[in-house]
Amino acid sequence: KNQVEQSPQSLIILEGKNCTLQCNYTVSPFSNLRWYKQDTGRGPVSLTIMTFSENTKSNGRYTATLDADTKQSSLHITASQLSDSASYICVVSAANDYKLSFGAGTTVTVRA
Amino acid sequence: ETGVTQTPRHLVMGMTNKKSLKCEQHLGHNAMYWYKQSAKKPLELMFVYSLEERVENNSVPSRFSPECPNSSHLFLHLHTLQPEDSALYLCASSQDLASYEQYFGPGTRLTVT
């Protein structure tokens, strides 16, 4: 069964600090991995997408990494801002399957 | 904005009520999806439509009834719901089923009393 596990479930950081979120998956055969940001009361919005051959992808202060051998990904947030407070969801696609596998998300709270 | 809109944004209904959720996408996509999002749980796929044909009915109780009159609109009709059905219901669309990029609407926060 395709599964996506995220850790931690939630975290609190001070504004300006960095943090790293983790995602482990068992989806096979692997196609791509996305990180979504979901603000409170909003739908998820894609931050990054990585395929098998990519191991790093950046979007502003967000940097995602992928290790396809160990089936792990991370999302690093640099110099956090209050607007980074949101839920971050790891989503993995299997080849030839339109169904996505979702993690439960990590809730990030940035405090001034 | 993602190009996917949902109405209403919030809905409170009793267990004997009948209501409908509406989703509209302005992206020219051919596939549309309904998801249920409960607190601290992964999104659960409920229904999938491709070119207005239902291709997935993920063991969803019959008290949820989808309708896709055209490729731009998707409805979720609700009747005799249970309190455990309270959740955020998200609509999404993609260019087609082969496209992994799904665009999500803002969701409808449903509370069943």
Side-chain angles (χ1 to χ4, degrees), chain A residues 47-48 57-64 76-79 81 84:
Chain A
L47 287 175
T48 64
K57 185 71 70 76
S58 292
N59 178 357
R61 294 178 297 100
Y62 300 102
T63 299
H76 187 75
I77 304 176
T78 303
Q81 300 178 358
D84 293 330

Side-chain angles (χ1 to χ4, degrees), chain A residues 14-100:
Chain A
L14 293 177
E15 188 177 15
K17 299 297 185 182
N18 305 334
C19 68
T20 300
L21 317 179
Q22 300 293 340
C23 173
N24 296 335
Y25 62 91
T26 61
V27 176
S28 181
F30 175 83
S31 176
N32 62 71
L33 183 148
R34 296 176 184 274
W35 283 93
Y36 279 84
K37 179 186 180 188
Q38 184 175 19
D39 293 312
T40 301
R42 298 283 192 92
V45 176
S46 180
L47 287 175
T48 64
I49 176 174
M50 287 181 292
T51 59
F52 185 87
S53 59
E54 299 173 297
N55 53 27
T56 302
K57 185 71 70 76
S58 292
N59 178 357
R61 294 178 297 100
Y62 300 102
T63 299
T65 65
L66 173 65
D67 186 333
D69 292 330
T70 62
K71 298 188 176 182
Q72 295 180 322
S73 176
S74 66
L75 180 68
H76 187 75
I77 304 176
T78 303
S80 61
Q81 300 178 358
L82 297 178
S83 59
D84 293 330
S85 295
S87 178
Y88 293 83
I89 303 173
C90 178
V91 183
V92 185
S93 302
N96 302 318
D97 189 353
Y98 61 83
K99 298 179 196 175
L100 305 178

Side-chain angles (χ1 to χ4, degrees), chain A residues 9 31-32 34 36 38 41-46 89 93-100 102-104 107, chain B residues 1-2 9 33 35 37 40-43 45 48 55-56 58 88 90 97 100-102 104-107:
Chain A
Q9 187 176 76
S31 176
N32 62 71
R34 296 176 184 274
Y36 279 84
Q38 184 175 19
R42 298 283 192 92
V45 176
S46 180
I89 303 173
S93 302
N96 302 318
D97 189 353
Y98 61 83
K99 298 179 196 175
L100 305 178
F102 292 84
T107 301
Chain B
E1 298 301 324
T2 61
R9 294 295 308 278
Y33 312 77
Y35 289 93
Q37 186 177 33
K40 303 188 187 306
K41 290 185 178 180
L43 271 70
L45 180 63
V48 181
V55 298
E56 181 79 27
N58 213 19
L88 181 68
L90 291 165
L97 287 183
Y100 300 116
E101 177 83 64
Q102 292 186 17
F104 288 86

Side-chain angles (χ1 to χ4, degrees), chain B residues 6 9 14 17 21 26 31 39-42 46 48 70 73 81 87 89-91 93-94 102 106 110:
Chain B
Q6 291 186 243
R9 294 295 308 278
N17 291 157
L21 309 184
H26 311 273
K40 303 188 187 306
K41 290 185 178 180
M46 300 176 72
V48 181
N70 55 63
H73 294 85
L81 293 191
Y89 288 85
L90 291 165
C91 173
S93 72
S94 63
Q102 292 186 17
L110 174 66

